[in-house]
Amino acid sequence: MRYETVAEAYRDLEQATGRLAMIDRIAGLIEQTPVELLPAVVLLCQGKIAPDFAGVDIGLAERLAARAVGTAAGVTQDRALAGARETGDLGLAAERLLGERDLVDTPGLQVSVVFDTLHEIAAAAGAGSQGRKLELLVALLGRATPLEARYLVRTVTGNLRLGIGTATILDGLAQVYAGGRKARPVLERAFNICSDLGLVAATVAEGGPEAVQQIRVRAGNPVRPMLAQRLSSPAEVLAKLGGSCAAEYKYDGIRVQAHRTADGTLELYTRGLERMAWQFPDLVQMLDAALRPAEVILEGEVVAFDPASGDLRPFQEVMYRRRTHGIAEAAAQVPVSLFCFDLLYADGEDLTHLDYPQRRQRLTAAVETSGPLRLATAEVVTDVAGLDALFEQAVADGCEGLVCKSIAPTAGYQAGARGWTWVKLKRDYRTELTDTLDLAVVGALYGRGRRAGMYGALLLAAYDPDNDVFQAVSKCGTGFSDADLAGLPGRLAPLIRDERPARVDSGRDADVWFEPGLVIEVVAAELTPSPHYTAARGKLPDEDAGLALRFPRFTGRWRDDKTPEDATTTDELLQLYQAARRATA
Ligand SMILES: Nc1ncnc2c1ncn2[C@@H]1O[C@H](COP(=O)(O)OP(=O)(O)OP(=O)(O)O)[C@@H](O)[C@H]1O
């Protein structure tokens, strides 16, 4: 298969204006792709060559890529960089410069060659690796057509930005190989269990939806985390969970999924399924000694703590462990504790279908707790007074609140789902929305006065997973420090688009549009219907109104641990709005 075919699809996808058009175009590409290349092609469409959890990073610096473009086009690196400045994109510059060559010399590339070479580029390490990467890229560009060069350069520099989410690709796969888009849930479940789009693609192409249903949890493939809904009062929580539940402390740290595979390797994954064992060698050692099953998948929350008093420390401190480069010093400065709360797999057995009491029992048996390695505090509660008391205790002990978990026999571990099996109880937002929202930045408005010349406010959106779109809910210009504001253009530059991206649904205009990529945490006074916003539009009594935030404020927390698809959903906003209305009625 020619890479040009993929590049043409990219070009069309970039120009597509609606989601259905994107699905159709992706489906067209899938149809043109031989089955053995399908895993490569779906990954390439997301600008990747391996699933996130594999920790493979092409990540070539722009300068090195510019040198490769220059060499391949027979011009200087400066000329290539100047082209990038002119067009705002090294990919376009490469397309132009290479387009000036004699086309007879450019036979074009094969997908398999591109994929393998990109892997070689990613793998080159150690002394002389920069030269090797350069050489490999020059060789690819030397044979690439101009259109291929555009996307090759964007891929190696991490700037592909086609704006297609996993859901859209799954829709395309379902359309071609599973009898229609109605089959997406089957594919989605498999993806949630293995987090490997390439594997799902290969399986459905070879064996249809039946084969996809056979995909199982296994150590080494991170499971997409189960998430919690939220409610505002203990009474509502108990009513929702059938009168009783297991209430666990909600620790304010970093979620971690630990995997020990048959070869004895222990890896830790973030909520976004990135590897983080290298940042927490102390934790790896602690777990390795304490886990009884040889092969295991366990979840917990890593929290910083003060060894002298045993007190839990705020979220910012454990984040320090992720940001800093002096790993050993940081480990000494900020010791961490792990509170284990779930066990998904042990020695060949998939435990996700077990109910909470059984999983908790297996968890207790699987971990030898001692010192900083503990089980999450959990208590079965059957009345409001009990839940209230535990909530107060949790807050007094330095936690955010509680995660209340269903103990029904049917309530297994729902990978990747935000269902009503787990319900979080933070603070009371009966009168005010004191719980935070995580929203995707989709646009910006230029500042005035003191903020002239920089972004003055951001346009924020919630995610609608059913339609894979981002619906605008607020403009937010409050809560940003001067340093935050100064840093915004840098953070957002790679996401800028000339027009409103196809997955962004907004009634409001913006001065600058962004592909959803940055997620920030905000608080607001309340949600109100508004004709100017599109979040949950069509689901409110006034059909033309969407939900809008009143008095939104940035909390200072960049949710770099969340992808835009992890942002607060429009259904969650709707529930918050309805809960607030019930409370004031
Ligand atoms: N005992 C616990 N059980 C489950 N999750 C817990 C527990 N303690 C802390 N957590 C954390 O709380 C989160 C559950 O809330 P939710 O599913 O809404 O995730 P979230 O979107 O990251 O929310 P938040 O920003 O409120 O942490 C988990 O992702 C996990 O990081």
Side-chain angles (χ1 to χ4, degrees):
M1 181 184 193
R2 296 173 59 222
Y3 183 58
E4 179 88 0
T5 310
V6 179
E8 282 165 359
Y10 288 169
R11 184 198 54 206
D12 297 346
L13 283 164
E14 261 188 293
Q15 286 161 4
T17 49
R19 191 164 171 272
L20 288 178
M22 292 181 104
I23 297 173
D24 278 340
R25 189 61 187 90
I26 268 285
L29 176 64
I30 290 169
E31 268 168 355
Q32 286 172 289
T33 305
V35 172
E36 67 278 10
L37 285 178
L38 202 52
V41 167
V42 296
L43 285 168
L44 285 171
C45 283
Q46 297 196 304
K48 298 175 189 166
I49 52 169
D52 288 338
F53 66 81
V56 177
D57 187 10
I58 326 177
L60 222 60
E62 178 117 342
R63 290 198 76 80
L64 196 65
R67 232 166 97 193
V69 171
T71 310
V75 301
T76 61
Q77 176 187 3
D78 284 344
R79 171 101 193 271
L81 280 173
R85 270 196 303 276
E86 241 168 67
T87 56
D89 168 21
L90 185 62
L92 282 180
E95 181 175 15
R96 276 196 203 163
L97 288 169
L98 292 176
E100 291 163 10
R101 290 174 315 187
D102 186 353
L103 274 181
V104 181
D105 293 327
T106 54
L109 296 163
Q110 292 293 312
V111 171
S112 55
V113 172
V114 170
F115 195 68
D116 293 346
T117 312
L118 292 179
H119 268 285
E120 270 187 74
I121 292 178
S129 63
Q130 295 300 306
R132 177 83 190 121
K133 286 176 196 275
L134 185 68
E135 205 178 294
L136 287 163
L137 183 56
V138 169
L140 277 184
L141 288 170
R143 298 176 62 84
T145 66
L147 189 67
E148 289 177 333
R150 183 204 300 182
Y151 293 109
L152 205 51
V153 166
R154 287 189 191 166
T155 302
V156 295
T157 53
N159 287 318
L160 190 64
R161 295 184 254 138
L162 292 178
I164 33 175
T166 303
T168 302
I169 297 185
L170 290 175
D171 269 330
L173 286 167
Q175 190 161 315
V176 177
Y177 283 116
R181 293 213 304 276
K182 60 185 183 311
R184 182 175 105 193
V186 176
L187 302 193
E188 208 158 62
R189 186 187 155 274
F191 175 69
N192 286 335
I193 281 175
C194 68
S195 309
D196 184 346
L197 199 57
L199 177 67
V200 176
T203 311
V204 73
E206 278 159 18
E210 299 74 26
V212 172
Q213 271 164 338
Q214 299 306 315
I215 292 180
R216 294 271 174 274
V217 171
R218 61 173 183 227
N221 271 55
V223 178
R224 310 220 348 123
M226 173 166 180
L227 302 171
Q229 287 281 6
R230 59 180 117 202
L231 283 174
S232 52
S233 74
E236 279 180 295
V237 171
L238 280 173
K240 194 80 192 179
L241 295 177
S244 61
C245 66
E248 294 190 350
Y249 275 17
K250 186 177 193 300
Y251 299 92
D252 192 12
I254 301 174
R255 185 171 187 157
V256 59
Q257 196 175 89
H259 285 239
R260 185 160 66 191
T261 38
D263 63 0
T265 310
L266 202 145
E267 186 53 78
L268 306 175
Y269 297 97
T270 62
R271 186 184 184 291
L273 309 187
E274 280 165 17
R275 292 173 179 228
M276 64 170 206
W278 63 280
Q279 289 164 322
F280 293 93
D282 43 345
L283 197 55
V284 170
Q285 212 176 19
M286 196 151 83
L287 270 170
D288 220 6
L291 292 175
R292 294 199 176 95
E295 265 194 287
V296 62
I297 306 179
L298 166 141
E299 276 194 332
E301 190 89 353
V302 194
V303 192
F305 81 109
D306 176 351
S309 64
D311 288 347
L312 301 182
R313 306 289 306 156
F315 174 76
Q316 284 74 8
E317 295 196 13
V318 65
M319 277 310 278
Y320 174 77
R321 291 284 306 266
R322 298 215 56 211
R323 286 203 200 96
T324 182
H325 293 294
I327 308 275
E329 291 137 61
Q333 277 167 13
V334 184
V336 293
S337 191
L338 179 71
F339 293 90
C340 306
F341 58 75
D342 220 316
L343 192 72
L344 313 189
Y345 176 92
D347 287 335
E349 202 184 338
D350 177 351
L351 308 177
T352 57
H353 301 290
L354 300 184
D355 60 20
Y356 172 88
Q358 294 182 70
R359 293 207 312 283
R360 178 81 187 187
Q361 200 183 13
R362 298 291 295 264
L363 175 68
T364 312
V367 198
E368 201 166 314
T369 50
S370 70
L373 185 62
R374 287 183 260 177
L375 295 187
T377 298
E379 231 174 75
V380 172
V381 286
T382 50
D383 57 20
V384 169
L387 200 49
D388 254 334
L390 194 66
F391 180 85
E392 293 306 330
Q393 191 59 48
V395 172
D397 288 344
C399 292
E400 273 187 298
L402 299 172
V403 184
C404 303
K405 303 185 175 180
S406 167
I407 49 177
T410 47
Y413 185 95
Q414 295 163 345
R418 197 184 283 285
W420 286 104
T421 306
W422 287 5
V423 182
K424 59 185 171 184
L425 188 59
K426 292 208 213 164
R427 271 148 275 153
D428 189 343
Y429 39 68
R430 256 169 297 201
T431 49
E432 196 187 48
L433 261 181
T434 51
D435 198 5
T436 57
L437 305 171
D438 300 318
L439 299 172
V441 179
V442 296
L445 297 128
Y446 290 125
R448 301 207 187 104
R450 214 169 73 81
R451 293 190 183 175
M454 50 167 101
Y455 295 145
L458 299 179
L459 183 64
L460 304 175
Y463 183 54
D464 169 3
D466 293 333
N467 297 305
D468 195 13
V469 293
F470 292 84
Q471 296 187 313
V473 65
S474 185
K475 269 190 314 191
C476 177
T478 316
F480 297 94
S481 67
D482 288 348
D484 290 335
L485 286 174
L488 272 176
R491 278 179 182 269
L492 289 163
L495 303 168
I496 292 180
R497 298 296 289 260
D498 291 342
E499 288 169 32
R500 183 174 53 76
R503 285 202 300 164
V504 172
D505 173 12
S506 172
R508 284 243 172 234
D509 220 353
D511 293 326
V512 185
W513 291 105
F514 305 113
E515 188 58 44
L518 177 67
V519 178
I520 66 170
E521 186 181 89
V522 298
V523 286
E526 63 173 337
L527 281 158
T528 52
S530 154
H532 302 300
Y533 291 95
T534 51
R537 183 180 276 178
K539 297 181 180 170
L540 297 168
D542 175 356
E543 290 271 316
D544 296 327
L547 287 173
L549 293 180
R550 286 192 66 210
F551 308 123
R553 178 168 54 79
F554 175 49
T555 63
R557 253 196 206 191
W558 307 94
R559 294 297 308 246
D560 293 331
D561 57 327
K562 292 200 169 185
T563 67
E565 287 83 9
D566 293 324
T568 300
T569 64
T570 49
D571 275 349
E572 283 180 84
L573 292 182
L574 196 61
Q575 282 153 16
L576 284 171
Y577 171 66
Q578 286 162 346
R581 293 229 326 179
R582 276 199 304 278
T584 50

